[in-house]
Amino acid sequence: MRVSLFITCYNDTLFPETGKSVVKVLERLGHTVEFPAGQTCCGQMHYNTGYQSEAMPLVQRFVDQFREAEAVVVPSSSCVAMMKDHYPKMAAEIGDAKLIADVDALLPRVYEFSEFLTRGLGLEDVGAYYPHRVTYHASCHGLRNLELGDGPLRLLKAVRGIDLVPLEGLEQCCGFGGTFAVKNADVSSAMLSEKTTAILNTKAEACTACDNSCLMHIQGALHRQRTGVKTVHLAEILAGDEGAAR
C-alpha cells in the first residue's frame, strides 16, 4: 500500500524520531511511505485557543497535500481527533462545496498510527523487539475521541522481550490538554502528580503512549524528580528490532 505520513508540526519540530519510527515500521511491513513536503499543521493549536479564522486555511492545505493518498497515517491521536471532529464543520463554515466533498472523501482514509495497524491492516504483531519494562498511558483524544480501545495495548503485548506492566488509572488524564496546562497550572500539576505516581509505582523503565504531547508533559515531571524513567512514543517501541538491540 502507498501510505502518506502526516507527521504533525509538533512531532516534526520536537520529536522527529517518532516520524522516522513510523516510516521504519510501515516499510518493514512492506508499505511504501510518502511524505508530502508541503504539509504543515492540522490547525489544532489555533482552533483550540480562539484563533479559529486562522485555522481555516489549513483545512484546504491538508486536503491539497493528501487528496491522492491511499491512507494517511498520523502519530498523534489529538491531531487526528481535531481533523475528524472539526474539519467537516470548518469546511461547511467556509462554504466551499468542493472542499466539503473533499474533506468527506479524505477523512475516512486518515488514521492514527496504532489505529492504522490494528483496524486498517488488521495487525497486532509487527515484528518488534523491545527488551524493557514498559507501562502504557491512554491519552484522552485516543481514548475518548478516536475510541482506540485496547488496540495500542494489543500491539505492545505482541512485542518480543517487553515486560508490559499495567498502569493504575490508565484512563485518567495526565493534565496536559494543550494550553490547559498553562491556563490551569495548579490543577494540571495535581493531575500530573497522580499520573507520575502511578507510573513510578509500576517500576517501569519507560512510559509509552500514542501522543508525544502527553509524554512531554509526563517526561517533564519525571525528569524534574530525577526518576530515571523515560517516555517513548509507541511507534519507537514498535520500530525496535533484535538487530537494533545488538
Side-chain angles (χ1 to χ4, degrees):
M1 182 183 292
R2 186 167 48 84
V3 181
S4 293
L5 170 63
F6 179 46
I7 189 171
T8 77
C9 62
Y10 192 80
N11 285 324
D12 193 31
T13 304
L14 299 175
F15 303 100
E17 290 304 317
T18 295
K20 293 177 185 177
S21 295
V22 170
V23 173
K24 183 175 179 179
V25 172
L26 294 176
E27 289 186 343
R28 188 168 67 206
L29 294 172
H31 302 286
T32 299
V33 181
E34 298 178 342
F35 186 85
Q39 62 180 280
T40 55
C41 171
C42 69
Q44 181 181 190
M45 289 183 287
H46 313 69
Y47 198 82
N48 288 350
T49 51
Y51 295 93
Q52 297 185 350
S53 61
E54 284 80 358
M56 293 297 183
L58 294 171
V59 179
Q60 182 67 63
R61 188 174 189 89
F62 182 82
V63 169
D64 290 343
Q65 293 297 311
F66 294 98
R67 181 185 286 107
E68 304 301 325
E70 286 187 61
V72 182
V73 172
V74 189
S76 167
S77 53
S78 68
C79 295
V80 175
M82 164 67 193
M83 292 184 276
K84 300 261 185 182
D85 289 348
H86 298 297
Y87 274 17
K89 62 185 177 187
M90 291 168 74
E93 186 174 340
I94 292 168
D96 182 331
K98 184 174 187 310
L99 179 60
I100 294 171
D102 285 345
V103 167
D104 287 344
L106 178 55
L107 284 183
R109 290 180 276 131
V110 176
Y111 296 88
E112 182 277 331
F113 173 62
S114 71
E115 179 186 33
F116 180 68
L117 296 174
T118 58
R119 294 174 181 167
L121 301 177
L123 295 174
E124 293 181 3
D125 185 349
V126 297
Y129 176 73
Y130 194 81
H132 299 284
R133 187 175 175 90
V134 175
T135 194
Y136 167 73
H137 161 68
S139 64
C140 294
H141 283 103
L143 190 69
R144 298 176 176 88
N145 295 63
L146 302 184
E147 300 182 338
L148 297 180
D150 66 349
L153 278 173
R154 286 187 280 116
L155 290 166
L156 287 167
K157 287 176 181 175
V159 174
R160 291 159 186 78
I162 197 169
D163 179 10
L164 184 63
V165 286
L167 180 65
E168 184 179 1
L170 169 71
E171 299 180 356
Q172 187 171 322
C173 177
C174 68
F176 180 58
T179 55
F180 174 84
V182 177
K183 295 178 178 177
N184 302 277
D186 290 343
V187 176
S188 173
S189 296
M191 297 169 74
L192 178 60
S193 178
E194 291 184 5
K195 181 61 66 175
T196 54
T197 297
I199 292 169
L200 293 174
N201 286 342
T202 68
K203 309 297 183 187
E205 300 170 63
C207 175
T208 191
C210 296
D211 284 82
N212 274 323
S213 50
C214 297
L215 292 177
M216 183 183 72
H217 189 55
I218 293 169
Q219 180 63 60
L222 294 173
H223 177 72
R224 288 191 292 275
Q225 296 175 51
R226 300 183 179 181
T227 63
V229 179
K230 67 177 182 179
T231 56
V232 57
H233 192 280
L234 176 71
E236 294 172 53
I237 290 179
L238 299 184
D241 56 44
E242 294 190 53
R246 288 194 287 270

